[in-house]
Amino acid sequence: MVILKKNIINNLGYIAIISSIIIAEKVKTNASWLNIIKSEFGTIILVILIGIIVEVLITIFKD
């Protein structure tokens, strides 16, 4: 449970970025949540991949 909380806290920035992308698109288009997630799927995956790459680079250069 502690590890899960630590992972959520560490990734809070990425969660905030993804949430803001979805909310901004909802305000802009007033479309349904499912259509927004489908249309922004590539951007969300890109943010997740950048997060993974950054975490790997931090671990490599930390050692």
Side-chain angles (χ1 to χ4, degrees), residues 4 7-9 11 14-15 25 30-31 48-49 52 55-56:
L4 180 63
N7 282 340
I8 290 174
I9 291 171
N11 295 319
Y14 302 114
I15 294 170
E25 192 70 25
N30 204 15
I48 292 171
L49 287 176
I52 292 171
E55 291 293 326
V56 167

Side-chain angles (χ1 to χ4, degrees), residues 3 5-6 10-13 15-16 19-20 24 28 30 33 35 40-43 47 51-52 54 56 61-62:
I3 295 173
K5 286 182 184 177
K6 185 177 179 183
N10 287 342
N11 295 319
L12 204 54
I15 294 170
S19 301
S20 64
K28 185 173 76 173
N30 204 15
W33 292 106
N35 286 338
E40 295 295 324
F41 186 73
T43 308
V47 169
I52 292 171
V54 166
V56 167
F61 290 119
K62 192 181 216 181

